[in-house]
Amino acid sequence: MTRVKICGITEIAHALAAAKAGADFIGLVFAPSKRQVTLERAREIALAVKGLENPPLIVGVFVNTAAPEVNRIADYCGLNWVQLSGDEPWEYLRDMKRPSIKAIRVSRAVNAGELIANMSHGYKLLGKNLIYLLDSHIEGSYGGTGRTFDWGLVRKASQKFPTIIAGGLSAENVGQAIKLLRPWGVDVSSGVESEGLKDIS
């Protein structure tokens, strides 16, 4: 079964709606972004969700944040997972106290073999506590762009490693992505927004 992560949650109502819709994970962004939340708001959202009967897991999204700070925020906000969406080296992930999702931005300059080699290296170092998130490479951005990438490039990688597919997914194309790639999970943010805000409908 493909897991679903709804990222960029900023309101309790949207978190509860995502949970009601069956999301397996919700993402709270701590990196500079229009979807960034304060620690206090993140903690409020996490507490509200964890009061549900079958709560989704809470993922904190970070970009190039010092490892001790990531762990401190994860403890304070009650995060289940941390997502590292910056340029963090594989060795950095060893300092995480929680299971990690490591984002890899896919560009046209990278071929399938290079991608698999990079992912294999990370998996050898970190093993089962690691999930990959493949997103579009857009210069100057660390995610949340709403743009797709060449799914054919990552087909083998997504079936070899536990992988979440992100980047430009929406109600119109997510079924196609799941059918083609059979990923561990899918991640959506802008694809469930209207005018830049999460749309409950």
Side-chain angles (χ1 to χ4, degrees), residues 93-152:
L93 276 71
R94 288 176 166 169
D95 295 328
M96 295 296 101
K97 292 182 178 177
R98 283 166 171 74
S100 300
I101 298 170
K102 180 66 180 102
I104 298 175
R105 297 183 299 284
V106 180
S107 72
R108 295 178 182 176
V110 176
N111 65 46
E114 291 170 334
L115 180 65
I116 288 175
N118 185 26
M119 295 168 76
S120 294
H121 180 66
Y123 212 65
K124 285 176 183 176
L125 285 177
L126 300 157
K128 294 181 179 179
N129 281 338
L130 176 65
I131 304 293
Y132 294 104
L133 183 141
L134 301 181
D135 200 354
S136 303
H137 176 84
I138 306 295
E139 195 65 36
S141 174
Y142 286 101
T145 65
R147 298 189 194 176
T148 58
F149 57 87
D150 181 359
W151 293 339

Side-chain angles (χ1 to χ4, degrees), residues 4-201:
V4 175
K5 174 171 170 276
I6 298 182
C7 202
I9 297 290
T10 59
E11 304 289 341
I12 290 175
H14 297 158
L16 296 177
K20 184 178 180 181
D24 300 288
F25 301 87
I26 62 168
L28 306 176
V29 178
F30 296 96
S33 161
K34 64 182 180 181
R35 302 179 183 94
Q36 184 177 14
V37 291
T38 64
L39 300 191
E40 290 70 26
R41 174 58 62 86
R43 183 171 173 144
E44 289 171 359
I45 292 171
L47 286 171
V49 167
K50 289 182 178 184
L52 300 174
E53 186 174 343
N54 293 303
L57 298 176
I58 312 294
V59 180
V61 181
F62 301 87
V63 172
N64 300 330
T65 303
E69 181 68 357
V70 172
N71 289 326
R72 183 187 75 81
I73 292 172
D75 287 341
Y76 179 78
C77 296
L79 305 179
N80 301 109
W81 287 70
V82 294
Q83 177 178 317
L84 306 166
S85 292
D87 306 306
E88 303 89 358
W90 292 119
E91 291 74 17
Y92 167 103
L93 276 71
R94 288 176 166 169
D95 295 328
M96 295 296 101
K97 292 182 178 177
R98 283 166 171 74
S100 300
I101 298 170
K102 180 66 180 102
I104 298 175
R105 297 183 299 284
V106 180
S107 72
R108 295 178 182 176
V110 176
N111 65 46
E114 291 170 334
L115 180 65
I116 288 175
N118 185 26
M119 295 168 76
S120 294
H121 180 66
Y123 212 65
K124 285 176 183 176
L125 285 177
L126 300 157
K128 294 181 179 179
N129 281 338
L130 176 65
I131 304 293
Y132 294 104
L133 183 141
L134 301 181
D135 200 354
S136 303
H137 176 84
I138 306 295
E139 195 65 36
S141 174
Y142 286 101
T145 65
R147 298 189 194 176
T148 58
F149 57 87
D150 181 359
W151 293 339
L153 180 66
V154 305
R155 189 171 184 176
K156 288 184 179 179
S158 71
Q159 294 172 5
K160 185 176 178 65
F161 302 102
T163 301
I164 298 171
I165 300 298
L169 296 181
S170 67
E172 288 71 36
N173 65 7
V174 69
Q176 181 185 357
I178 291 171
K179 184 177 180 181
L180 176 67
L181 302 175
R182 302 192 183 283
W184 187 89
V186 291
D187 181 298
V188 63
S189 185
S190 60
V192 290
E193 293 179 347
S194 297
E195 299 180 2
L197 296 173
K198 290 293 183 285
D199 187 326
I200 290 177
S201 65

